[in-house]
Amino acid sequence: MTKTFQDLGRILDKINGKGYPAYKELQGQYQENHFTLSIDYVQGDPFASPSRIRVIVPGDKGGFPKDIYRTPYQRKAVVDFLSRTVAKNIYRFYDRVKGSGKSGLLTIGHCGQEILERNYIVINPNRVEARLEVGLPAAGRRILGNEAKEIFLDALPKIVEASLFWASISQENLYAQVKLAEDQHFLREELKKRKLAAFIANGSILPRESGISERPLLKGAVPFQSPKEYEIELRLPNYGPIKGMGIPEGVTLIVGGGFHGKSTLLKALELGIYDHIAGDGREYLVTRENAVKIKAENGRKVEKVNISSFINNLPMGQDTVRFSTENASGSTSQAANIIEALEVGAELLLIDEDTSATNFMIRDSRMQRLVQKEKEPITPFIDKVRTLYKEKGVSTILVIGGSGDYFEVADHVIMMDEYTPKDVTQKAKEIIKIMDNQRKFEGVLPIRENSPRILLKSTFPQDKRGVKIKPRGIHTITYNKTEIDLSHLEQLIDPNQTNAICFIIHFIMEKVVNDKLTLPQVVEKVYGEISSKGLDIVSPYQGHPGNMALPRKHEIAAVLNRFRLLKIK
Ligand code: ADP
Ligand code: MG
């Protein structure tokens, strides 16, 4: 028999003042007039991870028209919109009740500036469901039943009423978000058709409020304005005609004086793989979805990666065709990052001199004269960047403030001048003609990619208590006692992407890895499952599956590649 909200009230009265474990009795479903509350998981104590609940409105009562979530990108926009609506209404209708630890917490998964595929809301013709987390209130370990009643019987119905019914939400804003999603989808398709690496609409706001905020800089931001040479006009299905800068495929340099906005532009391109919310300033800035930021990452682990295109003849005869190390240098890590990115299908590399290894990027003529090629294991990126495009179709956009040698290998040179891009390609070509350069080309060999790297089951050892894979913030995952450092993955931007990756690793370990599939095949396989069945399938939990946001294949592979226990056949 389904219980009612009155039953819920009675249970809370009964267990009021008792020890925390009595909360376990709450588990189950409760019927309200317009919705069902499902208490799926009850935390063990007030300091533990919060309890997980769902509120479910039947489709006919919710009244959402089906045509707003026909396509995957529309659905993504609707889920995002409703998640934000629930968050707003929690803020509006609920004052956190007091208590120890996580007592009184009431949240839906966090949404930042990006619109990601998330699982906080389920919407289909049968139901609208929101997944929330609650810190069941207690003083010390004593249950605060009245405070719990405030959450469940007072605040929750108001929040549901205001958020999960078509008649009560702002339909105008929802339609606007769906239309924006359509335009963004169109832009992404257009990039491929027109062979562009990225598009940045005129008027975009690139700088952020501060180094620790992703919100747009509002005061004093110089809006983006395309140089004439690159300006194109596109006709978006909803917004209509829009002008901006199309950055072509190939090799593009971003030059300019220090503090003129080079890194800000590159950062915006890195995050252009994601859609942004209205008002962000980057809503009409899109980058090819498989663009990967490449950095030097001293100290990272590398497992059997073919870095021989860049590094050869290491001291002590170390192998660079299947290069492994527990402690990569700046240049070896940057080389490994490139080859691993190609392995998962990157078609655009984004590189900033600020975060690169100098000896990986450049070797000038004087240095070539002093240290002979035979004595230098590194073939610098400058001698590979064209081959990457010619042979592999992989474009590069790189910020270079310090080395004019790169003019020779660039298709396009863009100068940031007081935050506004100018085309200086012709000037750069003239300089090449006037000032001769003694530099010798060192990159005669083709790009060599990884031979198949078979992911071994032994990557995932279990101890007596099994395996615990846990996120800590965005940039750390722990696998039992082994830490995975993700601080260099700048395109991993949401803690719930990291949470999803924890579940994905578990899923790979249990269901996918078989000593036959390669690392990219494993990633491809999970990704395919998620695309056809949804994010929830990687969760081991019943009911509320835990908050997740979809990471890209690149970030999943990047996490595995940084896992210190990774074993490749
Ligand atoms: P660079 O890499 O060329 O040295 P940065 O991109 O780091 O320069 O930018 C330097 C500073 O200028 C940063 O504080 C950044 O927020 C700010 N900035 C960048 N672009 C703009 C802009 N369009 N309008 C206003 N300020 C900007
Ligand atoms: Mg910079």
Side-chain angles (χ1 to χ4, degrees):
M1 202 188 78
T2 344
K3 289 168 278 187
T4 63
F5 265 51
Q6 280 179 338
D7 297 325
L8 178 59
R10 273 195 290 273
I11 301 175
L12 287 172
D13 285 336
K14 192 183 74 185
I15 62 176
N16 187 23
K18 290 194 180 167
Y20 209 83
Y23 262 137
K24 290 281 178 198
E25 201 180 318
L26 288 185
Q27 208 150 330
Q29 302 216 324
Y30 303 88
Q31 193 61 50
E32 219 267 10
N33 273 343
H34 300 298
F35 71 94
T36 306
L37 164 68
S38 180
I39 301 182
D40 297 322
Y41 167 79
V42 176
Q43 66 205 99
D45 70 74
F47 295 89
S49 308
S51 304
R52 295 192 296 273
I53 67 170
R54 289 173 300 147
V55 286
I56 302 153
V57 176
D60 52 345
K61 290 213 172 109
F64 285 86
K66 274 185 290 214
D67 67 336
I68 55 170
Y69 53 84
R70 265 180 302 115
T71 63
Y73 58 88
Q74 288 172 330
R75 171 183 299 276
K76 179 170 93 173
V78 170
V79 166
D80 178 275
F81 181 85
L82 293 178
S83 303
R84 290 173 203 267
T85 304
V86 170
K88 251 184 248 155
N89 285 322
I90 291 174
Y91 186 75
R92 184 166 151 214
F93 291 114
Y94 175 62
D95 283 322
R96 181 165 177 172
V97 299
K98 297 213 161 41
S100 336
K102 302 211 170 79
S103 288
L105 193 96
L106 179 62
T107 57
I108 189 160
H110 168 78
C111 297
Q113 296 299 104
E114 282 81 16
I115 299 174
L116 305 175
E117 186 172 336
R118 305 173 188 278
N119 74 340
Y120 317 158
I121 297 276
V122 175
I123 184 164
N124 59 43
N126 300 324
R127 62 164 63 185
V128 192
E129 170 182 312
R131 290 135 171 213
L132 305 173
E133 292 186 327
V134 187
L136 295 172
R141 292 182 52 82
R142 224 166 23 78
I143 288 176
L144 291 173
N146 289 325
E147 278 77 357
K149 274 162 80 175
E150 255 183 68
I151 300 177
F152 288 119
L153 307 185
D154 184 30
L156 197 59
K158 289 183 196 148
I159 295 162
V160 173
E161 214 62 53
S163 313
L164 302 180
F165 292 86
W166 180 240
S168 48
I169 62 153
S170 164
Q171 297 166 10
E172 191 187 336
N173 290 352
L174 186 146
Y175 275 123
Q177 178 145 330
V178 172
K179 285 183 175 161
L180 176 59
E182 276 165 10
D183 284 349
Q184 289 166 335
H185 178 75
F186 177 88
L187 273 176
R188 291 187 188 286
E189 294 297 307
E190 208 63 10
L191 283 188
K192 287 178 244 170
K193 281 189 208 149
R194 293 176 181 244
K195 293 188 154 300
L196 295 174
F199 174 80
I200 308 171
N202 292 344
S204 294
I205 300 296
L206 275 39
R208 300 293 98 187
E209 195 173 60
S210 77
I212 51 162
S213 165
E214 272 302 305
R215 290 170 190 275
L217 177 68
L218 294 175
K219 255 178 67 190
V222 177
F224 189 86
Q225 179 63 46
S226 172
K228 281 188 315 300
E229 294 83 348
Y230 299 93
E231 191 166 82
I232 56 172
E233 186 178 270
L234 301 173
R235 190 168 289 273
L236 306 184
N238 298 302
Y239 185 95
I242 189 167
K243 282 186 183 168
M245 177 174 183
I247 302 181
E249 291 179 353
V251 178
T252 303
L253 298 190
I254 302 170
V255 302
F259 233 62
H260 279 256
K262 304 184 296 297
S263 297
T264 302
L265 170 58
L266 194 80
K267 188 84 219 161
L269 293 173
E270 287 163 28
L271 297 181
I273 57 169
Y274 298 121
D275 291 342
H276 289 94
I277 53 171
D280 173 84
R282 298 169 294 186
E283 51 272 58
Y284 300 109
L285 183 166
V286 293
T287 310
R288 290 285 273 272
E289 281 150 313
N290 53 23
V292 176
K293 172 75 180 284
I294 300 293
K295 295 171 73 174
E297 195 179 339
N298 304 40
R300 66 157 285 196
K301 174 210 174 73
V302 176
E303 188 65 15
K304 302 202 172 99
V305 174
N306 188 345
I307 58 168
S308 65
S309 307
F310 299 103
I311 296 165
N312 240 316
N313 306 323
L314 280 183
M316 325 285 276
Q318 285 178 70
D319 183 9
T320 58
V321 173
R322 283 161 77 78
F323 178 74
S324 301
T325 178
E326 285 300 323
N327 188 3
S329 66
S331 54
T332 51
S333 61
Q334 199 161 356
N337 284 345
I338 290 176
I339 299 300
E340 288 168 353
L342 300 184
E343 194 180 29
V344 213
E347 289 180 306
L348 174 62
L349 305 180
L350 302 170
I351 300 181
D352 193 331
E353 63 177 358
D354 285 359
T355 51
S356 293
T358 308
N359 58 347
F360 180 78
M361 298 303 288
I362 184 70
R363 210 162 99 79
D364 70 8
S365 55
R366 291 201 168 113
M367 196 54 84
Q368 285 182 327
R369 184 75 66 90
L370 184 68
V371 181
Q372 250 104 77
K373 175 77 186 114
E374 300 74 55
K375 299 268 181 217
E376 172 54 90
I378 303 172
T379 304
F381 189 69
I382 188 172
D383 289 329
K384 289 294 180 185
V385 64
R386 288 228 63 79
T387 327
L388 264 171
Y389 182 57
K390 266 201 337 244
E391 284 176 11
K392 306 277 173 193
V394 176
S395 300
T396 302
I397 299 178
L398 68 169
V399 168
I400 289 280
S403 170
D405 285 356
Y406 265 93
F407 295 167
E408 254 148 298
V409 295
D411 296 304
H412 308 284
V413 185
I414 293 157
M415 179 164 94
M416 291 306 282
D417 183 6
E418 297 181 352
Y419 313 131
T420 297
K422 308 263 161 67
D423 179 43
V424 293
T425 311
Q426 280 321 312
K427 267 197 195 144
K429 298 289 171 202
E430 279 157 30
I431 291 169
I432 295 173
K433 274 195 216 135
I434 306 167
M435 301 177 66
D436 76 314
N437 192 345
Q438 314 277 316
R439 191 173 187 282
K440 286 198 289 277
F441 178 67
E442 299 181 342
V444 284
L445 296 171
I447 302 283
R448 286 175 294 239
E449 294 199 49
N450 276 339
S451 47
R453 290 197 303 152
I454 307 235
L455 180 65
L456 292 176
K457 284 197 247 176
S458 54
T459 299
F460 308 102
Q462 314 211 4
D463 62 19
K464 286 189 290 294
R465 309 229 306 283
V467 174
K468 273 213 174 76
I469 308 169
K470 289 236 138 89
R472 213 168 56 231
I474 300 179
H475 287 126
T476 310
I477 288 176
T478 53
Y479 179 103
N480 286 343
K481 292 211 166 75
T482 305
E483 198 165 283
I484 315 178
D485 176 9
L486 311 175
S487 51
H488 289 276
L489 302 185
E490 296 186 2
Q491 292 168 298
L492 184 69
I493 41 121
D494 189 302
N496 288 322
Q497 288 181 313
T498 311
N499 200 32
I501 293 178
C502 290
F503 287 143
I504 288 170
I505 295 175
H506 210 275
F507 185 84
I508 288 175
M509 172 183 104
E510 301 237 291
K511 306 228 165 88
V512 186
V513 68
N514 60 1
D515 290 348
K516 292 193 186 77
L517 295 175
T518 63
L519 189 150
Q521 284 169 339
V522 163
V523 173
E524 197 66 52
K525 183 138 188 216
V526 204
Y527 218 78
E529 294 270 302
I530 293 173
S531 306
S532 61
K533 298 180 195 147
L535 262 170
D536 289 355
I537 62 136
V538 295
S539 166
Y541 301 144
Q542 298 292 317
H544 189 319
N547 292 332
M548 286 185 260
L550 185 68
R552 294 186 309 168
K553 280 184 264 184
H554 298 276
E555 276 67 40
I556 302 172
V559 172
L560 289 171
N561 279 319
R562 281 159 185 73
F563 185 25
R564 298 261 165 198
L565 303 177
L566 173 67
K567 304 266 182 315
I568 299 287
K569 192 166 159 184

